[in-house]
DNA sequence: CGCAATTAGTTGTTACAACAATTATTTCAT
DNA sequence: ATGAAATAATTGTTGTAACAACTAATTGCG
C-alpha cells in the first residue's frame, strides 16, 4: 500500500477497526447463541466438526483458525456440555477423533441460521459483490501476515 | 444484503473471517510491540491517551472501542508499567484524569511507527483507495450492529 | 433541600487467545 | 532396532473481553 496516504491516528488503523468490528459482531452473536448453549467461538469449532465427522483436533484447529491449546479448551467446553465426544485415534494413539453427539447435532442445526441471519443483518446495505470483495481482502491480509510470520519464525 | 447468495459454511462467514484476520494481525503486532513492553490492546489505549492529555477513563474507553471494565484493567497494566498516571478529577471526584509519563511518551513514540509499518505490510497489495473502502465498510458494519443492539437493549 | 436515579470506576466470573513448557506417541536415520 | 527429532494434545500463565454486581460521587426532580 502507498505510504503517505493515511496520517495514522488510530482512527485510521485497520488493525484497530478490525478488532472493533469483530468484537461488536461477536457480542451480538453471543447474545443470540446463548439460549442454544453456545458461545461464538464454541460455535465456530462446532461448525467445523459438523462439516466432517471424526476429524482430529489438529485438523479442527487449523480449519477453525485457532491454535491447539485454544482448540483443546473449547473442545473441553463442548464435551462438558455433551455436544461432542473424543475417541482415541485408531491409527495414532496421540490423537483424538472428534464427533458430534445427537445434542451437538441439534445445537448446530439451531445455531447455523442464527449466525447466518446475524451476519446478514450486520452486513445490511452490502451487495453480495461487496461482501465477496470484503472476504477476498480479508483473505489477502491473512496471506500477507502468514507470509511475514513464516520467515520470521524459521 | 441479498439472501440466497452465500451458501454458508463458515468459509463464507464474515464474522469468522474478521476474527481470523484480527487475530493474525494482533499476533504479528504483539511480537513486534513486546520489546517496547506493550501489548496491542495496551497500545490501542496508550495511543488514545497520547492524542489528548487528561482525558477521563470513560472518554478513553469510548475512543478505544472498549468497555469500562476492560479499560480499567488495561490502564491498571499501563500504570503498573509506569506508562501512565491517574489523578482524581478536580471537578468530579468519581473520575480519573489520565496522563502519560515520560516513559509512556517514549513507548508511544516507539510503538506508533511499529504499528504503522505492520499494518502496511499486512495490507501489501492494497491501494489506498481499497484501504479506505475497507475502513468504510467496517464502519458500516459497526453502525449496523449498534443499531441492532440499541433497540434490543431498551 | 433531600432522596432517587444516574454516572465513573472497580471487582468478580467466565470464556478466548498466545506463548511456553510438558507428556505421550510416532517417525526417521542410522 | 534404537535413540533423536517430530508430532498430538494438554497444562500453566498472562492478557483481553463481556456481563453483572457493586461502591462512591453527582444530578435532578419534587
Amino acid at each position: 500500500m502507498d505510504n503517505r496516504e493515511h496520517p495514522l491516528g488510530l482512527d485510521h488503523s485497520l488493525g484497530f477497526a478490525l478488532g472493533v468490528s469483530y468484537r461488536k459482531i461477536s457480542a451480538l452473536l453471543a447474545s443470540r447463541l446463548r439460549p442454544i448453549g453456545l458461545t461464538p467461538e464454541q460455535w465456530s469449532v462446532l461448525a467445523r466438526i459438523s462439516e466432517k465427522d471424526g476429524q482430529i483436533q489438529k485438523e479442527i484447529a487449523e480449519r477453525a483458525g485457532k491454535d491447539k491449546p485454544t482448540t483443546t479448551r473449547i473442545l473441553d467446553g463442548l464435551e462438558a456440555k455433551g455436544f461432542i465426544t473424543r475417541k482415541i485415534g485408531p491409527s495414532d494413539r496421540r490423537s483424538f477423533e472428534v464427533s458430534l453427539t445427537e445434542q451437538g447435532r441439534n445445537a448446530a442445526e439451531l445455531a447455523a441460521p442464527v449466525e447466518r441471519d446475524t451476519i446478514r443483518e450486520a452486513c445490511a446495505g452490502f451487495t453480495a459483490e461487496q461482501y465477496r470483495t470484503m472476504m477476498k481482502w480479508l483473505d489477502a491480509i491473512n496471506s500477507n501476515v502468514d507470509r511475514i510470520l513464516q520467515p520470521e519464525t524459521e
Side-chain angles (χ1 to χ4, degrees), chain A:
Chain A
M1 197 179 51
D2 186 21
N3 277 347
R4 291 150 305 281
E5 293 283 347
H6 22 86
L8 201 83
L10 269 188
D11 284 328
H12 302 87
S13 164
L14 185 73
F16 177 73
L18 232 37
V20 174
S21 298
Y22 166 64
R23 284 192 293 272
K24 279 184 190 283
I25 291 185
S26 284
L28 176 59
L29 194 53
S31 70
R32 297 181 173 186
L33 289 177
R34 189 162 307 124
I36 304 174
L38 288 171
T39 66
E41 301 306 334
Q42 284 170 352
W43 161 241
S44 79
V45 168
L46 197 68
R48 295 306 181 173
I49 298 169
S50 70
E51 288 166 6
K52 190 175 124 198
D53 195 76
Q55 294 172 89
I56 67 171
Q57 299 189 191
K58 178 191 157 72
E59 275 180 274
I60 296 169
E62 278 165 8
R63 300 183 356 117
K66 300 185 185 311
D67 67 1
K68 283 191 297 176
T70 299
T71 305
T72 289
R73 281 182 263 243
I74 292 178
L75 290 174
D76 288 346
L78 290 172
E79 194 174 30
K81 289 177 187 166
F83 290 154
I84 60 152
T85 55
R86 293 194 248 215
K87 197 186 70 189
I88 293 177
S91 60
D92 183 343
R93 285 182 309 171
R94 289 170 305 182
S95 64
F96 290 100
E97 294 184 348
V98 178
S99 301
L100 288 186
T101 61
E102 194 48 37
Q103 255 201 74
R105 200 175 325 277
N106 288 340
E109 274 163 25
L110 291 171
V114 168
E115 153 144 29
R116 195 186 52 225
D117 292 346
T118 300
I119 298 297
R120 265 180 206 155
E121 292 173 47
C123 295
F126 284 56
T127 65
E129 178 57 27
Q130 286 172 334
Y131 184 93
R132 276 190 295 268
T133 301
M134 178 88 142
M135 293 291 285
K136 200 181 63 188
W137 286 351
L138 290 174
D139 259 0
I141 289 174
N142 294 346
S143 304
N144 283 340
V145 174
D146 285 342
R147 198 174 325 110
I148 295 164
L149 282 175
Q150 200 59 15
E152 273 183 8
T153 318
E154 270 167 28

